[in-house]
Amino acid sequence: MAGLIASPELLNALHNKATQLRIHSVRATSEAGSGHPSSCASAADVVAALFFSVMRYDPHNPKAPNSDRFILSKGHAAPLLYAAWAEAGLFPQSELLKLRTLASDLEGHPTPRLSFVDMATGSLGQGLPVGIGIALNAKFVDRLDYRTYVLMGDGESVEGSVWEAAEIGRQYGLDNLCAIVDVNRLGQSDPTMLQHDMDAYRSRWAGFGWHAIVVDGHDFTAILTAFDEAARTKGQPTVLLARTYKGKGISFIENKPDWHGKPLKKGEETQKALDELTKQLSPNGAVIQIPKPSAPSTAPVPIAPMPPAPYKIGDSVATREAFGTALEALGSVNPSIVALDADVKNSTYTDKFGKKFSNRFFESFIAEQNMVGAAAGLAACGKIPFAATFACFFSRAYDFIRMAAISGSNIKLVGTHVGVSIGEDGPSQMGLEDIAMMAAQPNVTVLYPSDGTATYQLVEEAAKRKGMVYIRAGRPKTPVLYGSEERFHIGGSKILRQSASDVLTIVAAGVTLFEALKAHDQLKSAGIAVRVIDLYSIVPIDRTSLLESGRATQRRILTVEDHYAHGGLGDAVLSAVATEGMKVYKLAVREIPHSGKPDELVDRYGIGMRSIVDTTKQIIREH
């Protein structure tokens, strides 16, 4: 790694690389007619130093084991990132001129369609949490010596998620993590809060327990010295606070407002900038030698099947507890499993895993955004992370969930304490919108097991499934319905009650399934036969079984769910069968609930046995 003794030739070569990155960024954004060349220009020197002197990586294989990792959190500077990899030789520089076109994966903000991108960025404040996960993997799980670098903007450092990550980085002593803040003073619409008050930046980061280095972000000697100091700092993460100028190197936009997100006009304006930048290139630079990563031992990871579910029919267990039991069992047979929690591990039961696999369990404290971001970082390292908290608190991290979905991240989210059935804690703690939240995102699997056996098996199925999975788990204990020999697959359902004379199909999951079973028995005693389906897989949904049952029950389906009416199980069923002429009736929570006993609330808000029976009789009378 270069440091204090960098040669004049190397400094000159890095200057030329940075200038070339600026040239590429201007050309690409001008050709595209959109983009952020001024934001690229401010960070070009730091990026050139990283890519062509500091980082150890294989320029032709970004995912090579033990390579240093780079995350562009200020994703709007994507042309700078693309230019760096093109200059490193990963792909032809001519591809840069396809920026932001449908024919190219060089999108306006980076996504993992590109081999060198670990997580989609552009929604600001997410890069550092992802970097936390990547650094946690190196330090505690794989125990590798790669370093993680995260480049942020000064405007985005106002985001609360940045400071969540700062806390966690200090807590875990991530001395293999280096953040860089591009302090270019100018935001999109106004100057940033602190502008170039570097002492204020330093004191804030130092106050969060980071080794904070203020550096002239356009002085290569200072930049290299700072990165060398960061690598030698032990026991705490480092942040380089780089004082820069937006639009650096282009005199007519440098350090001037109102240039954020504006490309230079094609023609005279672009040519003027390119001419000015080209004149800054110097002859006789050193030949760049990108440092190579060390080769780690790569032993195959043995994975065995999980033991059978430890429950028998009639046992009483909460699905959240069954999740914890399954996670511990899964961790024993698959070393790629890691877990994260947000200070509720004794309620989500992830503490079972944490006690047994301390190097694979990460307490995120009350920082749900960082928990999801770190999970995405761990997933980018090939791990299978399970992140758990109360379902309602995932709403705080929803933008991270959205970006993880865009990234196709292989994270597994488990939301517990769902619905009015949690009881006395009241509406602030009741996850009543979580199915709608998760199902709205592309390619996300949504599972809602009703008993311990189903939960246990679906945790293993979630680990096997590529992409994001959400598991909804309840607070109260419920009877075990299924023996360990029963099998559950994603996209399936179970018909628990049926006869040839059924006049209605009742579809439920979680606590309302037990209410539906009780209603079935009461209706049967009244001479009314109904079918009951356990819809444990909401996305993807078992459309075939729903249609077959609907056709067998006079095309009438009643859904019952401990969730708000919009976007939940009922809407999923309606979407699946509506085109086939089915009539779907929905029972759901339709007002903001109150504290109370779980059974009282289930009855009060119209999703209990009494409501199911009354609604069934009304449907039959009307038709």
Side-chain angles (χ1 to χ4, degrees):
M1 180 178 294
L4 291 169
I5 57 171
S7 68
E9 291 80 13
L10 175 60
L11 296 175
N12 188 44
L14 292 176
H15 164 80
N16 284 346
K17 282 293 185 186
T19 302
Q20 196 61 57
L21 297 182
R22 292 184 173 102
I23 290 171
H24 288 315
S25 298
V26 168
R27 281 179 172 156
T29 53
S30 295
E31 181 66 25
S34 63
H36 301 74
S38 64
S39 299
C40 296
S42 64
D45 298 312
V46 167
V47 168
L50 278 169
F51 272 78
F52 303 107
S53 183
V54 175
M55 291 199 307
R56 302 158 298 170
Y57 67 102
D58 183 344
H60 302 291
N61 181 13
K63 299 293 187 186
N66 216 27
S67 289
D68 289 344
R69 310 291 276 262
F70 177 80
I71 300 167
L72 181 70
S73 189
K74 49 176 279 180
H76 51 284
L80 177 63
L81 176 68
Y82 305 154
W85 280 103
E87 280 288 320
L90 182 63
F91 56 87
Q93 295 174 13
S94 58
E95 291 295 309
L96 297 172
L97 296 180
K98 299 177 183 177
L99 175 72
R100 291 176 169 239
T101 65
L102 190 59
S104 173
D105 287 336
L106 302 180
E107 299 181 83
H109 294 76
T111 73
R113 290 192 180 102
L114 297 161
S115 62
F116 50 87
V117 175
D118 288 315
M119 176 76 169
T121 56
S123 182
L124 295 174
Q126 300 210 14
L128 191 57
V130 172
I132 291 284
I134 293 173
L136 286 171
N137 180 73
K139 188 176 181 74
F140 296 103
V141 185
D142 287 345
R143 294 185 170 93
L144 296 173
D145 67 358
Y146 70 77
R147 293 181 59 76
T148 299
Y149 297 91
V150 180
L151 177 61
M152 299 182 290
D154 49 352
E156 85 171 280
S157 68
V158 176
E159 292 277 12
S161 55
V162 170
W163 301 104
E164 285 186 14
E167 290 274 25
I168 299 300
R170 173 204 55 78
Q171 175 69 16
Y172 284 99
L174 295 179
D175 48 18
N176 58 351
L177 174 64
C178 181
I180 307 103
V181 182
D182 179 22
V183 187
N184 63 25
R185 191 184 71 82
L186 296 172
Q188 175 169 330
S189 58
D190 283 305
T192 57
M193 290 181 183
L194 297 177
Q195 299 197 48
H196 274 152
D197 187 347
M198 304 309 292
D199 286 339
Y201 278 107
R202 188 206 313 265
S203 63
R204 291 184 183 192
W205 283 91
F208 273 77
W210 285 54
H211 179 53
I213 307 172
V214 173
V215 63
D216 180 344
H218 302 306
D219 180 335
F220 282 104
T221 298
I223 293 169
L224 295 176
T225 300
F227 279 126
D228 185 62
E229 183 179 331
R232 290 184 286 105
T233 298
K234 301 303 177 187
Q236 63 182 150
T238 295
V239 58
L240 267 64
L241 301 163
R243 188 182 191 276
T244 63
Y245 291 109
K246 207 161 189 172
K248 175 68 176 177
I250 307 168
S251 61
F252 57 94
I253 71 170
E254 184 175 316
N255 199 30
K256 290 181 171 60
D258 300 324
W259 276 99
H260 183 92
K262 293 181 180 177
L264 299 169
K265 293 174 184 162
K266 287 184 75 173
E268 183 177 341
E269 191 172 68
T270 293
Q271 193 58 51
K272 179 181 178 182
L274 293 176
D275 289 345
E276 187 174 347
L277 288 167
T278 301
K279 288 176 182 177
Q280 296 169 26
L281 293 169
S282 303
N284 303 321
V287 176
I288 294 291
Q289 296 291 334
I290 296 172
K292 300 295 184 186
S294 60
S297 58
T298 54
V301 177
I303 300 174
M306 280 172 62
Y311 310 115
K312 62 181 184 299
I313 294 174
D315 286 351
S316 183
V317 61
T319 52
R320 61 182 172 125
E321 184 175 0
F323 156 64
T325 299
L327 186 64
E328 179 187 4
L330 185 61
S332 297
V333 300
N334 187 343
S336 293
I337 302 297
V338 296
L340 306 93
D341 204 288
D343 197 31
V344 288
K345 59 180 176 287
N346 55 342
S347 290
T348 63
Y349 289 93
T350 57
D351 58 352
K352 293 174 178 283
F353 183 96
K355 290 170 184 175
K356 194 167 184 179
F357 309 105
S358 59
N359 70 307
R360 289 191 268 148
F361 177 78
F362 303 105
E363 175 56 71
S364 301
F365 302 91
I366 304 174
E368 293 86 4
Q369 296 179 98
N370 191 82
M371 178 179 70
V372 175
L378 285 155
C381 299
K383 302 303 174 291
I384 305 173
F386 280 78
T389 188
F390 292 8
C392 59
F393 301 143
F394 275 123
S395 61
R396 184 181 292 274
Y398 193 51
D399 191 33
F400 280 76
I401 293 167
R402 181 181 73 92
M403 293 299 286
I406 290 171
S407 301
S409 183
N410 193 35
I411 62 175
K412 320 301 171 184
L413 306 178
V414 181
T416 69
H417 294 66
V418 297
V420 300
S421 55
I422 75 165
E424 294 85 348
D425 281 344
S428 71
Q429 311 298 294
M430 296 171 176
L432 283 161
E433 60 286 295
D434 53 311
I435 294 174
M437 282 172 45
M438 301 301 177
Q441 294 303 323
N443 305 316
V444 176
T445 298
V446 180
L447 305 175
Y448 190 8
S450 298
D451 84 334
T453 298
T455 304
Y456 186 91
Q457 288 196 21
L458 288 171
V459 167
E460 183 176 23
E461 292 302 310
K464 294 176 182 176
R465 185 151 178 107
K466 188 67 175 174
M468 194 189 306
V469 178
Y470 176 65
I471 301 176
R472 192 176 207 239
R475 181 182 190 179
K477 290 182 181 292
T478 53
V480 172
L481 297 170
Y482 304 104
S484 60
E485 75 286 349
E486 197 79 36
R487 291 292 169 261
F488 296 82
H489 67 274
I490 291 172
S493 65
K494 298 286 184 184
I495 300 176
L496 296 185
R497 302 287 188 272
Q498 66 176 324
S499 73
S501 55
D502 293 338
V503 296
L504 174 73
T505 295
I506 300 175
V507 182
V511 296
T512 58
L513 178 64
F514 299 94
E515 298 299 315
L517 292 172
K518 288 186 285 186
H520 168 275
D521 294 344
Q522 187 165 322
L523 289 164
K524 183 177 181 181
S525 66
I528 301 172
V530 296
R531 186 164 302 194
V532 179
I533 294 180
D534 175 3
L535 192 70
Y536 62 80
S537 180
I538 297 185
V539 182
I541 200 166
D542 186 358
R543 184 172 185 266
T544 299
S545 293
L546 290 171
L547 288 173
E548 288 174 355
S549 289
R551 292 179 183 125
T553 59
Q554 302 180 32
R555 296 186 177 272
R556 297 187 296 212
I557 296 175
L558 173 63
T559 65
V560 194
E561 59 188 310
D562 194 0
H563 186 276
Y564 285 137
H566 182 76
L569 178 150
D571 279 359
V573 171
L574 179 62
S575 178
V577 304
T579 57
E580 302 302 317
M582 301 293 166
K583 181 70 173 177
V584 177
Y585 306 83
K586 298 190 298 180
L587 291 178
V589 179
R590 296 182 180 274
E591 58 183 292
I592 298 171
H594 195 277
S595 291
K597 301 292 185 186
D599 290 345
E600 292 177 328
L601 298 179
V602 167
D603 180 68
R604 165 67 178 79
Y605 293 103
I607 57 174
M609 178 193 69
R610 182 170 61 90
S611 296
I612 298 170
V613 169
D614 291 347
T615 303
T616 299
K617 290 178 178 178
Q618 181 180 348
I619 292 169
I620 293 169
R621 283 196 302 269
E622 292 176 353
H623 300 278

